[in-house]
């Protein structure tokens, strides 16, 4: 007699308990906020208050979208809030007055995130908006060319009504949006050309290219020499990598990527040969100890010493030396974290970015539209690459480019841009628009 085979349903993966996860994060943030408030020898209540307000924002966000929108996927937001909390604690321990300003930038970023996720729920609307977004991005960069002021060698800051903004940070969002929307509509080589045209317009306005136009045979070369006028080599590299991701996802042609990389190398060689002041910026690369007390290697050498002294568990918040080095709350904040929070925590911080990237890859496979797939992977690649540029730059693995650590470093434009990019990954998750019964598509 044949044995009976019981039909068993495959076990369901238990969903994450979002409230428990956020409760654990809240306790962590309260503890670190309290320690950071005491970092300067006297209790700075503003730092702890900023952290408490951040916790309040997190819980309001979770409750509203859990109840009203019936969302159950908050993993990305929890990771971002974790990174933001680390940023407030570190920045507040160094400069208590900056804690609340950072909090306001986080709030602005969350608002941008919510708005973008809502907008991207309608793919048709995104297709219609891509031209206007492209025009707005170019107009913003043209405005930058007219009224920009030079800060730390970079002419990419504008001041409006007392508020200082960095246009290139917002162009990152437009870059991904326009690229994803354009390549989603028609899968042909014409779309690549159209996207390159938009990108060249943006970067051309950013760097005001002169005699190098004919020598740089492909768009990516334009990105590499963005440093010529703006001084923002890090921004150029980030745009370059993002373009490669978007182009490859659309064409799947490795020859296009090889051509782009070769063109970029040629552009970089031209810059280094004919622009001596650019070459001097690379003089300390891999030679920081020879420039220990000079501009080229001062920051990196101090960061390396601080990281070595921090060990696995760190010296404790407020007990490090790197916090006294220039740009400790922006470009080299990861060095402060390594020294005071320890290697173990620093690795956990890096893994947070890896989780964001993995989430984007997983979401892109099951996403309902090419628009979401391209947008998610491009945005995640941009964030991960920016993280790598920051960490490898201050540790002398790569040349120091001066980019911020996403979600952690002090800076309003950067914070809003990071949350905006995170919206592309959130939108690619099929669970995000369950309250709509799916997404609105053509």
């Amino acid at each position: 007699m044949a044995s009976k085979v019981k039909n068993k349903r495959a076990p369901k993966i238990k969903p994450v308990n979002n409230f428990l996860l956020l409760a654990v994060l809240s306790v962590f943030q309260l503890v670190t906020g309290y320690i950071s408030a005491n970092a300067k020898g006297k209790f700075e209540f503003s730092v702890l208050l900023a952290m408490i307000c951040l916790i309040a924002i997190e819980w309001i966000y979770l409750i509203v979208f859990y109840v009203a929108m019936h969302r159950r996927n908050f993993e990305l937001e929890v990771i971002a809030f974790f990174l933001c909390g680390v940023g407030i604690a570190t920045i507040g321990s160094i400069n208590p007055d900056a804690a609340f300003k950072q909090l306001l930038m986080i709030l602005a970023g969350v608002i941008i995130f919510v708005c973008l996720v809502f907008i991207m729920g309608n793919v048709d609307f995104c297709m219609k908006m891509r031209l206007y977004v492209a025009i707005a991005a170019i107009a913003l960069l043209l405005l930058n060319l007219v009224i920009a002021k030079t800060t730390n060698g970079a002419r990419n800051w504008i001041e409006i009504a007392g508020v200082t903004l960095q246009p290139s940070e917002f162009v990152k969002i437009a870059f991904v949006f326009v690229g994803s929307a354009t390549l989603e509509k028609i899968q042909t080589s014409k779309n690549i050309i159209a996207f390159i045209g938009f990108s060249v317009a943006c970067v051309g306005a950013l760097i005001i290219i002169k005699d190098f136009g004919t020598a740089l045979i492909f768009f990516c070369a334009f990105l590499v020499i963005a440093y010529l006028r703006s001084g923002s080599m890090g921004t150029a590299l980030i745009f370059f990598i993002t373009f490669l991701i978007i182009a490859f996802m659309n064409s799947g042609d490795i020859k296009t990527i090889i051509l782009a990389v070769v063109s970029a190398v040629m552009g970089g060689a031209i810059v280094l040969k004919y622009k001596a002041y650019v070459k001097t910026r690379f003089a300390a690369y891999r030679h920081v100890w020879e420039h220990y007390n000079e501009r080229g290697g001062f920051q990196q050498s101090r960061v390396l010493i601080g990281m070595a002294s921090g060990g696995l568990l760190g010296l404790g918040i407020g007990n490090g030396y790197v916090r006294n080095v220039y740009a400790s709350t922006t470009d080299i904040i990861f060095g402060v974290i390594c020294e005071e929070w320890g290697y173990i925590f620093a690795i956990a911080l890096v893994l947070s970015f890896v989780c964001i990237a993995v989430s984007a890859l997983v979401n892109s496979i099951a996403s309902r539209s090419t628009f979401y797939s391209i947008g998610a992977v491009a945005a995640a690649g941009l964030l991960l690459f920016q993280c790598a540029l920051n960490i490898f730059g201050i540790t002398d693995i790569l040349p120091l480019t001066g980019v911020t650590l996403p979600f952690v470093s002090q800076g309003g434009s950067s914070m809003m841009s990071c949350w905006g990019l995170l919206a592309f990954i959130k939108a690619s998750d099929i669970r995000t628009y369950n309250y709509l019964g799916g997404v609105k598509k053509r």
Side-chain angles (χ1 to χ4, degrees):
M1 185 176 177
S3 60
K4 293 181 180 179
V5 179
K6 294 182 179 179
N7 292 325
K8 292 185 178 180
R9 300 176 72 180
K12 291 184 178 179
I13 299 175
K14 214 174 179 183
V16 176
N17 189 323
N18 296 290
F19 290 92
L20 178 60
L21 192 63
L22 190 56
V24 173
L25 177 60
S26 298
V27 172
F28 167 78
Q29 290 175 333
L30 274 176
V31 172
T32 54
Y34 179 81
I35 296 173
S36 298
N38 282 291
K40 285 189 168 290
K42 65 174 183 176
F43 189 75
E44 298 284 353
F45 182 71
S46 61
V47 178
L48 180 59
L49 183 60
M51 190 68 81
I52 292 173
C53 290
L54 175 63
I55 294 171
I57 291 171
E58 295 167 356
W59 280 100
I60 292 171
Y61 177 88
L62 175 62
I63 293 170
V64 168
F65 285 96
Y66 190 93
V67 175
M69 303 297 185
H70 305 290
R71 287 184 187 164
R72 300 296 182 265
N73 57 325
F74 294 95
E75 300 86 0
L76 276 176
E77 292 94 319
V78 170
I79 292 174
F81 282 133
F82 162 71
L83 294 170
C84 289
V86 173
I88 284 183
T90 308
I91 294 166
S93 70
I94 298 171
N95 181 11
D97 295 334
F100 248 99
K101 184 178 180 181
Q102 186 74 354
L103 174 70
L104 293 176
M105 296 301 101
I106 293 170
L107 179 59
V110 172
I111 293 172
I112 290 173
F113 171 82
V114 171
C115 292
L116 280 175
V117 171
F118 179 78
I119 289 170
M120 286 189 284
N122 189 330
V123 180
D124 275 342
F125 182 72
C126 293
M127 297 303 106
K128 295 174 183 176
M129 285 296 296
R130 71 187 191 281
L131 177 61
Y132 301 106
V133 172
I135 293 172
I138 295 172
L140 183 61
L141 289 174
L142 289 175
L143 179 65
N144 180 77
L145 294 176
V146 175
I147 65 175
K149 67 175 184 177
T150 302
T151 304
N152 298 326
R155 189 170 172 263
N156 56 354
W157 296 88
I158 61 176
E159 186 173 340
I160 301 175
V163 178
T164 304
L165 299 171
Q166 190 173 1
S168 59
E169 292 293 336
F170 299 102
V171 174
K172 290 177 187 176
I173 301 174
F175 192 75
V176 175
F177 185 93
V178 174
S180 303
T182 301
L183 301 181
E184 196 274 347
K185 189 170 178 62
I186 306 174
Q187 294 293 317
T188 67
S189 59
K190 292 181 180 179
N191 289 53
I192 284 285
I193 296 172
F195 180 51
I196 290 175
F198 162 70
S199 305
V200 168
C202 285
V203 179
L206 180 65
I207 64 178
I208 318 178
I209 294 174
K210 288 187 175 181
D211 299 329
F212 296 98
T214 56
L216 307 178
I217 61 174
F218 201 68
F219 155 72
C220 298
F222 285 74
L223 305 181
V224 171
I225 63 167
Y227 185 77
L228 285 176
R229 283 305 183 103
S230 69
S232 183
M233 182 177 63
T235 300
L237 287 172
I238 289 169
F239 274 110
F240 171 69
I241 294 299
T242 307
F243 170 79
L244 291 185
I245 292 171
I246 293 176
F248 182 74
M249 287 195 67
N250 179 71
S251 65
D253 186 4
I254 194 65
K255 291 183 291 184
T256 301
I257 308 305
I258 294 173
L259 176 60
V261 173
V262 170
S263 301
V265 172
M266 290 175 60
I270 293 171
V271 173
L272 292 176
K273 181 174 179 62
Y274 295 105
K275 293 292 181 177
Y277 73 93
V278 176
K279 189 174 182 179
T280 58
R281 298 244 178 168
F282 287 85
Y285 174 53
R286 308 300 297 169
H287 299 281
V288 294
W289 301 110
E290 298 172 23
H291 301 267
Y292 180 80
N293 284 319
E294 300 173 15
R295 181 180 178 183
F298 185 90
Q299 288 174 300
Q300 291 147 299
S301 60
R302 269 61 178 183
V303 167
L304 292 172
I305 293 172
M307 292 175 67
S309 63
L312 292 176
L313 301 178
L315 302 178
I317 299 175
N319 298 326
Y321 170 77
V322 179
R323 61 176 37 243
N324 300 315
V325 180
Y326 176 73
S328 60
T329 62
T330 52
D331 299 350
I332 64 171
I333 194 169
F334 186 74
V336 178
I337 292 170
C338 287
E339 183 182 26
E340 300 184 3
W341 301 58
Y343 286 158
I344 294 176
F345 185 84
I347 292 173
L349 200 72
V350 173
L351 290 177
S352 298
F353 292 101
V354 175
C355 287
I356 292 175
V358 170
S359 176
L361 289 174
V362 172
N363 292 345
S364 67
I365 295 172
S367 63
R368 298 181 176 94
S369 169
T370 306
F371 170 74
Y372 296 123
S373 298
I374 295 177
V377 176
L382 196 156
L383 288 171
L384 190 63
F385 185 69
Q386 181 171 331
C387 173
L389 275 182
N390 178 274
I391 295 173
F392 293 157
I394 64 174
T395 52
D396 202 33
I397 296 174
L398 291 175
L400 184 63
T401 56
V403 298
T404 56
L405 186 62
F407 297 106
V408 181
S409 293
Q410 182 179 356
S413 300
S414 175
M415 180 62 70
M416 289 185 279
S417 171
C418 290
W419 276 99
L421 292 170
L422 193 70
F424 289 94
I425 306 173
K426 180 73 174 180
S428 68
D429 191 335
I430 58 175
R431 299 171 294 171
T432 297
Y433 300 107
N434 283 341
Y435 68 97
L436 292 175
V439 293
K440 297 178 181 178
K441 300 191 288 185
R442 293 184 307 280

